[in-house]
Amino acid sequence: MPPLHILWRDDHLVAVYKPAGWLVHRTGLDAGETRFVMQTLRDQIGQHVYPVHRLDKGTCGVLVMALHPAAARALSLAFEQHSVRKRYLALVRGWAPESAEVDHPLRPDDAPPDAPVQDAHTTLRRLARAEVGASADPRFATTRASLVEALPTTGRRHQIRRHLKHIAHPILGDATHGKGPLNRWWAERLGQQRLWLHAWHLSLPHPVSGERLELVSGLQLPGLQETGLSLGPHPAGDAAQPADLLAWHGLWATLPWMA
């Protein structure tokens, strides 16, 4: 397995860039997969790591793990108490609204139909729009897409994916919540089939010092300074960039973007 790109590391936690297609840890639900962040990182740095949150298999970007049990407890508590601020990027169907507050309760995916729903809230902001002069649907002359920033304030499973579907702008490449024909059309145009969801930025209190860490994936977006994030990698990060970022950076040149 290729080594994982380390964004931050000290004696208490490590943050890595999780590539799309990797699982965070082994699971019987995907028995055929062989790429696991937890096991690869353990072998790479030579010590045990403790997961404190997760990213879907198809999602790439910032993932944090603790390096000892006390740090794992502190970080897990920060996630539970909503002290962690998360920012994602998503490429979605159609022209999304300029901004939206999605307050839509969700029932766990594997829960029975009569299970209680859980509060779920996501703030959305459209960063850019694109329109391609070819049609994925014979009823329309063009095909539209939007680049959206998503800030979830709760942490329900598949929350961003389900909330974007709820407002009729599913993430491109989402086989569960999107549209198969449209996903295949975009896969041919963009040269790959994948979920276009990126964990861009994670802000959290350090498990020992309490100081806030700002962890950035390294994705460089035109006009990024307007979002309040630095263009450069974290000063404690590696100089090399993950190959997975090339797909995202390719979007800026591939599609005709407009405000």
Side-chain angles (χ1 to χ4, degrees):
M1 292 298 168
L4 291 164
H5 178 70
I6 295 177
L7 302 169
W8 171 276
R9 182 184 177 187
D10 60 19
D11 292 336
H12 311 288
L13 66 91
V14 57
V16 301
Y17 186 99
K18 175 197 166 302
W22 286 53
L23 292 172
V24 174
H25 52 72
R26 297 181 188 274
T27 171
L29 299 177
D30 198 342
E33 186 53 72
T34 59
R35 298 168 297 178
F36 309 101
V37 174
M38 187 173 172
Q39 285 76 16
T40 300
L41 183 59
R42 176 198 62 200
D43 296 342
Q44 182 174 328
I45 67 175
Q47 68 180 104
H48 192 73
V49 295
Y50 301 79
V52 295
H53 71 125
R54 67 184 301 275
L55 294 176
D56 292 340
K57 179 179 179 179
T59 305
C60 58
V62 182
L63 179 73
V64 171
M65 291 197 174
L67 294 179
H68 54 80
R73 288 192 294 270
L75 289 170
S76 296
L77 185 61
F79 278 95
E80 292 171 9
Q81 295 180 340
H82 308 297
S83 299
V84 179
R85 295 194 292 269
K86 296 170 280 187
R87 301 172 76 174
Y88 290 77
L89 290 179
L91 183 65
V92 307
R93 180 184 72 178
W95 284 358
E98 289 187 12
S99 62
E101 299 289 334
V102 184
D103 190 358
H104 177 62
L106 297 172
R107 183 177 290 109
D109 286 340
D110 54 355
D114 58 348
V117 296
Q118 300 172 315
D119 291 340
H121 178 269
T122 306
T123 298
L124 302 172
R125 180 166 68 102
R126 190 185 71 213
L127 300 180
R129 299 175 295 161
E131 186 168 20
V132 178
S135 180
D137 187 324
R139 295 174 297 173
F140 306 103
T142 62
T143 303
R144 294 176 171 182
S146 299
L147 183 68
V148 172
E149 181 187 44
L151 289 76
T153 53
T154 52
R156 310 306 177 196
R157 188 166 184 261
H158 293 176
Q159 176 176 314
I160 296 173
R161 295 165 62 179
R162 296 169 74 182
H163 274 179
L164 282 164
K165 177 188 178 182
H166 178 69
I167 65 168
H169 294 285
I171 300 174
L172 299 182
D174 190 337
T176 303
H177 304 288
K179 300 291 185 181
L182 183 63
N183 286 342
R184 289 189 290 273
W185 187 89
W186 277 110
E188 292 177 3
R189 176 162 293 273
L190 299 175
Q192 59 181 302
Q193 176 63 56
R194 58 164 298 157
L195 176 70
W196 289 98
L197 180 62
H198 180 86
W200 190 19
H201 176 233
L202 198 65
S203 173
L204 75 168
H206 190 276
V208 175
S209 70
E211 295 182 6
R212 187 156 286 273
L213 289 178
E214 307 292 337
L215 304 170
V216 184
S217 71
L219 178 61
Q220 297 187 18
L221 175 67
L224 186 61
Q225 64 276 7
E226 299 175 4
T227 70
L229 290 182
S230 168
L231 277 172
H234 195 287
D238 296 340
Q241 296 296 306
D244 189 61
L245 283 178
L246 295 176
W248 278 90
H249 285 145
L251 286 178
W252 318 147
T254 302
L255 298 180
W257 295 103
M258 58 185 141

